[in-house]
Amino acid sequence: MTLLYRTQKILRYFISIIIVATVWGCRLQAQDTIMFPLKFRVGVELTGASRYFYEKEHAGLETFFSADISEKLAPTVIAGINDYTYLRYRDAGMMMYDFRVKGFYIKPGVDFNLLAPKKAGGKYSFGVGIRYGITGFSYSIPEINTENYWGRHQTSIPVNRAMAHYAEVTPAIRAEIMKNISLGWSVSLRKMISSGTGKDMQPVYLPGYGNGAKPISFALSYFIIWSIPHRVKSVIIHPEEEIIEENVDNSGNPPTPTYP
Amino acid sequence: MTKAFTFLFIAALPFWLASCLDSECMEATEASVKVFFYDCDTVPALAVTPDSLTLYGVGNAVKIYDNQKITAPALLPLKESGGETEFIININGTADTVRFVYSGSLRLVSKECGYAMSYAIDTVCFTANEIDSITITNHDVTVQNTENIAIFY
């Protein structure tokens, strides 16, 4: 009788512990995790696409694809095409050169979102991207004019094909302006690895890079992005963040308790 | 959060517009043969510019230097279209002909300055009226201010 009583008592303890642990566990999960939507993203660069309407010599399209694999990390591919004619004049009477280039480029890389998952919420991003750029292009210079004591000299360079390589670091921000539609802009700092044309004939314009005569180029890009949620991930929030946000007011002091 | 992002988005516009502006050419583009003159009677030869120098290209009536005392070096522009250029050099009233045989190559100076020729001197021939001898000190003719030719007179 005593043994049965003791066994029942032990069982009650075990069941109580299991119930308390389960409730506590649920409470922990509710407090310390958020559901973070992971998305595919497809975007179009706006300045390049719109440039053709006011500068007929410059036709280009740049697209952007990325897939969140976590709340911080998204493999990204930027791909684009460009057809550009650049005429440079010394003055009204003399055209210095007529540079023509056509090409495509692809830039695989990774984007890192530096915002806390709770703030980002799948809608905002403030981070940095790292990419490797490859451009395949053909260029020609149908007219080059130079002038010295002996007068004006005209020459040309026929169509050549080349492949250029460069690295790119891209700080960027993105914000969702309506459901699944975001706007973003990025600053691109590019470092030439090889222009593919030799040191004396670097391309005046290299698709995906900019001024190929410079070892470092700089560009700003504006994107409109369509997001497609593909998975929801449960992300654990660091407990200190919760405590800081809940218990500290703007002055940095704990709130004074008030009584009715 | 949305306001902050909108602000940053609009704040970038002026930088983007500024990046579209073309700048001016600020670099030297014309590569000329840099000639220094030396007195052949001194040992070692002293750099002495002639009291009177007249210089012009054969086939071009325009004088590069016209009976003047120059500060070294004298700059001799080569023909961009051909591999040979001749100059008449009149040193202190006595004329000589100097002929350069060279090869030229085109290179991009910059987007703003365009393309320019640079040369590699092969040989230099001359008449020895006032000129005693000529030495090629640097075969590569570029925009750099380095001596290419030493004329001893």
Side-chain angles (χ1 to χ4, degrees):
Chain A
M1 190 67 186
T2 316
L3 185 67
L4 186 65
Y5 176 73
R6 279 185 181 171
T7 309
Q8 279 178 341
K9 208 172 177 182
I10 289 166
L11 263 175
R12 271 206 295 274
Y13 277 126
F14 269 117
I15 289 164
S16 302
I17 287 166
I18 288 165
I19 290 168
V20 167
T22 307
V23 170
W24 183 249
C26 290
R27 192 166 161 264
L28 266 182
Q29 194 177 20
Q31 276 189 343
D32 296 341
T33 63
I34 60 161
M35 304 313 282
F36 192 94
L38 300 180
K39 297 175 177 179
F40 293 119
R41 292 187 180 83
V42 181
V44 176
E45 206 278 318
L46 295 172
T47 55
S50 61
R51 198 167 180 175
Y52 179 72
F53 294 103
Y54 61 87
E55 193 182 341
K56 296 291 179 197
E57 300 82 24
H58 200 149
L61 181 68
E62 183 171 295
T63 53
F64 158 94
F65 307 92
S66 80
D68 293 338
I69 56 171
S70 75
E71 70 282 7
K72 293 280 181 195
L73 206 64
T76 304
V77 176
I78 285 179
I81 52 168
N82 240 259
D83 185 343
Y84 185 40
T85 299
Y86 182 75
L87 304 175
R88 181 79 187 184
Y89 290 87
R90 193 181 68 183
D91 50 51
M94 182 178 161
M95 184 179 74
M96 292 161 73
Y97 63 90
D98 168 7
F99 182 86
R100 298 173 185 199
V101 65
K102 283 182 188 176
F104 68 92
Y105 54 92
I106 186 159
K107 299 178 192 176
V110 180
D111 282 345
F112 300 94
N113 190 353
L114 304 176
L115 282 182
K118 193 179 174 186
K119 283 185 179 168
K123 292 181 175 181
Y124 301 103
S125 169
F126 177 80
V128 64
I130 298 168
R131 316 194 200 295
Y132 183 77
I134 304 160
T135 299
F137 64 106
S138 66
Y139 71 99
S140 65
I141 315 168
E143 193 176 330
I144 300 172
N145 292 303
T146 52
E147 199 170 44
N148 72 357
Y149 168 76
W150 295 98
R152 191 170 294 183
H153 175 59
Q154 192 179 87
T155 186
S156 63
I157 290 174
V159 176
N160 283 287
R161 291 179 206 287
M163 190 80 85
H165 303 260
Y166 44 92
E168 186 175 288
V169 177
T170 308
I173 65 166
R174 188 186 65 236
E176 192 168 275
I177 52 165
M178 61 179 83
K179 190 173 168 57
N180 293 331
I181 301 290
S182 305
L183 282 177
W185 64 266
S186 64
V187 180
S188 298
L189 297 168
R190 297 156 184 158
K191 173 80 181 82
M192 181 70 81
I193 297 166
S194 164
S195 67
T197 55
K199 69 177 175 61
D200 287 337
M201 293 303 287
Q202 290 122 329
V204 165
Y205 182 83
L206 180 66
Y209 181 84
N211 185 350
K214 292 193 171 176
I216 290 174
S217 96
F218 161 84
L220 274 170
S221 304
Y222 283 85
F223 286 94
I224 185 160
I225 299 156
W226 177 40
S227 307
I228 309 152
H230 67 90
R231 193 157 67 87
V232 175
K233 186 186 175 190
S234 172
V235 178
I236 298 166
I237 306 290
H238 206 263
E240 281 82 355
E241 284 178 21
E242 296 290 308
I243 292 162
I244 288 164
E245 284 182 11
E246 285 175 12
N247 293 341
V248 177
D249 62 15
N250 289 339
S251 64
N253 300 320
T256 316
T258 51
Y259 303 100
Chain B
M1 184 68 95
T2 309
K3 279 181 184 174
F5 274 79
T6 309
F7 170 75
L8 287 170
F9 192 81
I10 293 165
L13 278 169
F15 295 100
W16 176 71
L17 291 170
S19 70
C20 297
L21 300 174
D22 266 344
S23 50
E24 292 297 311
C25 173
M26 303 296 282
E27 295 154 82
T29 57
E30 198 177 321
S32 299
V33 178
K34 266 72 84 183
V35 179
F36 286 75
F37 295 91
Y38 296 89
D39 184 349
C40 65
D41 294 330
T42 58
V43 181
L46 289 173
V48 179
T49 53
D51 291 331
S52 165
L53 179 73
T54 301
L55 177 72
Y56 58 94
V58 173
N60 193 331
V62 178
K63 289 189 170 78
I64 301 166
Y65 300 106
D66 188 6
N67 194 21
Q68 64 193 87
K69 186 168 177 69
I70 62 159
T71 51
L75 302 175
L76 278 63
L78 300 175
K79 283 180 185 170
E80 295 180 324
S81 53
E84 280 189 19
T85 304
E86 277 190 339
F87 293 94
I88 303 295
I89 297 182
N90 191 321
I91 300 171
N92 299 332
T94 307
D96 277 297
T97 304
V98 178
R99 185 168 54 137
F100 294 91
V101 181
Y102 54 90
S103 57
S105 59
L106 197 66
R107 65 186 175 84
L108 176 72
V109 178
S110 66
K111 183 182 179 182
E112 295 77 18
C113 300
Y115 296 83
M117 294 293 289
S118 54
Y119 311 93
I121 298 170
D122 185 30
T123 52
V124 180
C125 308
F126 61 97
T127 58
N129 298 324
E130 178 68 12
I131 295 173
D132 178 73
S133 60
I134 290 181
T135 306
I136 304 172
T137 45
N138 183 3
H139 287 262
D140 297 324
V141 181
T142 64
V143 293
Q144 302 295 321
N145 193 27
T146 51
E147 181 183 276
N148 296 115
I149 300 292
I151 292 181
F152 299 87
Y153 70 98

